Short mmCIF file of all heavy atoms in Angstrom, two decimals:
data_model
loop_
_atom_site.label_atom_id
_atom_site.label_comp_id
_atom_site.label_asym_id
_atom_site.label_seq_id
_atom_site.Cartn_x
_atom_site.Cartn_y
_atom_site.Cartn_z
N GLU A 44 44.01 22.32 22.45
CA GLU A 44 45.14 21.73 21.72
C GLU A 44 44.77 20.41 21.13
O GLU A 44 45.31 19.99 20.07
CB GLU A 44 46.47 21.67 22.54
CG GLU A 44 46.97 22.98 22.94
CD GLU A 44 48.12 22.99 23.84
OE1 GLU A 44 48.32 21.77 24.47
OE2 GLU A 44 48.58 24.05 24.32
N ARG A 45 44.09 19.58 21.91
CA ARG A 45 43.77 18.19 21.31
C ARG A 45 42.54 18.20 20.48
O ARG A 45 42.31 17.17 19.88
CB ARG A 45 43.49 17.40 22.58
CG ARG A 45 44.65 17.14 23.60
CD ARG A 45 44.38 16.19 24.80
NE ARG A 45 45.52 15.97 25.49
CZ ARG A 45 45.47 15.13 26.60
NH1 ARG A 45 44.28 14.65 26.97
NH2 ARG A 45 46.58 14.97 27.20
N ARG A 46 41.93 19.25 20.17
CA ARG A 46 40.74 19.31 19.36
C ARG A 46 41.23 19.04 17.92
O ARG A 46 42.15 19.67 17.50
CB ARG A 46 40.07 20.65 19.37
CG ARG A 46 38.89 20.59 18.52
CD ARG A 46 38.18 22.05 18.59
NE ARG A 46 37.61 22.06 19.92
CZ ARG A 46 37.21 23.35 20.50
NH1 ARG A 46 37.12 24.33 19.62
NH2 ARG A 46 36.67 23.37 21.61
N PRO A 47 40.71 18.00 17.28
CA PRO A 47 41.19 17.59 15.96
C PRO A 47 40.83 18.97 15.01
O PRO A 47 40.03 19.62 15.11
CB PRO A 47 40.31 16.39 15.54
CG PRO A 47 39.09 16.53 16.43
CD PRO A 47 39.55 17.21 17.78
N ALA A 48 41.76 18.89 14.00
CA ALA A 48 41.74 20.03 13.02
C ALA A 48 40.44 19.78 12.15
O ALA A 48 39.98 18.74 11.94
CB ALA A 48 42.88 19.97 11.99
N ARG A 49 39.71 20.83 11.86
CA ARG A 49 38.60 20.85 11.06
C ARG A 49 38.82 20.21 9.80
O ARG A 49 39.82 20.63 9.08
CB ARG A 49 37.80 22.22 10.97
CG ARG A 49 37.46 22.83 12.27
CD ARG A 49 36.66 24.15 12.01
NE ARG A 49 36.17 24.86 13.15
CZ ARG A 49 36.92 25.61 13.94
NH1 ARG A 49 38.10 26.03 13.49
NH2 ARG A 49 36.47 26.08 15.04
N ARG A 50 37.90 19.49 9.23
CA ARG A 50 38.07 18.92 8.01
C ARG A 50 36.72 19.17 7.12
O ARG A 50 35.72 19.36 7.66
CB ARG A 50 38.18 17.42 8.07
CG ARG A 50 37.07 16.60 8.62
CD ARG A 50 37.46 15.14 8.85
NE ARG A 50 36.33 14.38 9.31
CZ ARG A 50 35.28 13.78 8.74
NH1 ARG A 50 35.13 14.07 7.42
NH2 ARG A 50 34.38 13.19 9.32
N ARG A 51 37.01 19.33 5.80
CA ARG A 51 35.88 19.51 4.87
C ARG A 51 34.87 18.28 4.93
O ARG A 51 35.40 17.17 4.86
CB ARG A 51 36.35 19.84 3.56
CG ARG A 51 35.20 20.18 2.51
CD ARG A 51 35.90 20.78 1.26
NE ARG A 51 36.61 21.93 1.55
CZ ARG A 51 37.22 22.59 0.61
NH1 ARG A 51 37.15 22.25 -0.74
NH2 ARG A 51 37.93 23.73 0.74
N VAL A 52 33.68 18.54 4.92
CA VAL A 52 32.63 17.46 4.92
C VAL A 52 32.45 17.02 3.61
O VAL A 52 32.19 17.91 2.62
CB VAL A 52 31.26 17.94 5.61
CG1 VAL A 52 30.29 16.78 5.39
CG2 VAL A 52 31.51 18.27 6.93
N ARG A 53 32.67 15.76 3.27
CA ARG A 53 32.50 15.23 1.98
C ARG A 53 31.30 14.29 1.94
O ARG A 53 31.02 13.63 2.98
CB ARG A 53 33.70 14.44 1.51
CG ARG A 53 34.93 15.40 1.36
CD ARG A 53 36.12 14.60 0.86
NE ARG A 53 36.53 13.37 1.72
CZ ARG A 53 36.49 12.16 1.38
NH1 ARG A 53 36.09 11.79 0.14
NH2 ARG A 53 36.83 11.22 2.27
N TYR A 54 30.49 14.29 0.88
CA TYR A 54 29.41 13.43 0.85
C TYR A 54 29.03 13.11 -0.74
O TYR A 54 29.61 13.73 -1.57
CB TYR A 54 28.15 13.94 1.44
CG TYR A 54 27.78 15.34 0.81
CD1 TYR A 54 26.85 15.37 -0.43
CD2 TYR A 54 28.13 16.55 1.25
CE1 TYR A 54 26.58 16.58 -0.95
CE2 TYR A 54 27.79 17.76 0.82
CZ TYR A 54 27.02 17.85 -0.39
OH TYR A 54 26.59 18.95 -0.99
N ARG A 55 28.35 12.02 -0.94
CA ARG A 55 27.96 11.57 -2.20
C ARG A 55 26.48 11.90 -2.39
O ARG A 55 25.68 11.71 -1.44
CB ARG A 55 28.16 10.08 -2.55
CG ARG A 55 29.74 9.75 -2.58
CD ARG A 55 29.83 8.21 -2.65
NE ARG A 55 29.35 7.60 -1.42
CZ ARG A 55 28.49 6.73 -1.37
NH1 ARG A 55 27.77 6.29 -2.46
NH2 ARG A 55 28.03 6.16 -0.24
N LEU A 56 26.07 12.46 -3.49
CA LEU A 56 24.77 12.82 -3.75
C LEU A 56 24.26 12.10 -5.02
O LEU A 56 24.85 12.19 -6.11
CB LEU A 56 24.60 14.36 -3.81
CG LEU A 56 23.24 14.85 -4.36
CD1 LEU A 56 22.19 14.58 -3.38
CD2 LEU A 56 23.22 16.33 -4.77
#
Side-chain angles (χ1 to χ4, degrees):
E44 290 169 0
R45 290 181 178 179
R46 180 177 296 169
R49 295 186 180 91
R50 62 185 178 85
R51 181 170 299 181
V52 177
R53 295 183 300 121
Y54 60 86
R55 292 176 293 121
L56 171 64

